[in-house]
């Protein structure tokens, strides 16, 4: 249920973006929508995870993702290039930071 609620929160970004952009413009709509969704999910994560540090990390990750998407949208001509390089860097960082996690340790017991 928690994954569904967070997923619905992420989906609300697009509905908020569309409705706010009709009245205020795209940039303001994007800023308001992203802040609203980040705060919503961070507040929910704080109560679900019972750990403020993980909730802040979640909020920071969402802010980075929404910021990255905004930059890609703004630079139309280089969107594919910047997007591909950005995704490569994100994948490389994820692989680097998770290299020492023993994923199957609990399954062996």
């Amino acid at each position: 249920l928690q994954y569904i609620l967070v997923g619905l929160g992420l989906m609300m970004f697009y509905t908020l973006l569309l409705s706010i952009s009709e009245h205020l413009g795209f940039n303001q709509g994007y800023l308001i929508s992203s802040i609203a969704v980040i705060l919503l999910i961070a507040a929910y994560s704080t109560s679900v995870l019972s750990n403020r540090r993980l909730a802040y990390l979640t909020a920071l990750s969402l802010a980075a993702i929404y910021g990255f998407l905004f930059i890609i949208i703004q630079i139309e001509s280089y969107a594919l290039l910047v997007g591909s390089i950005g995704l490569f860097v994100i994948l490389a960082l994820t692989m680097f930071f998770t290299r020492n996690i023993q994923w199957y340790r609990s399954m062996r017991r």
Side-chain angles (χ1 to χ4, degrees), residues 22 57 76:
E22 287 181 353
L57 182 61
E76 300 164 3

Side-chain angles (χ1 to χ4, degrees), residues 51-92:
N51 186 336
R52 287 182 188 246
R53 186 172 179 221
L54 287 176
Y56 291 143
L57 182 61
T58 301
L60 183 65
S61 299
L62 282 174
I65 290 169
Y66 283 130
F68 180 65
L69 290 174
F70 183 77
I71 290 169
I72 288 177
I73 290 169
Q74 296 299 315
I75 54 171
E76 300 164 3
S77 301
Y78 296 101
L80 181 60
L81 177 64
V82 173
S84 299
I85 292 170
L87 289 174
F88 179 82
V89 169
I90 290 168
L91 177 62

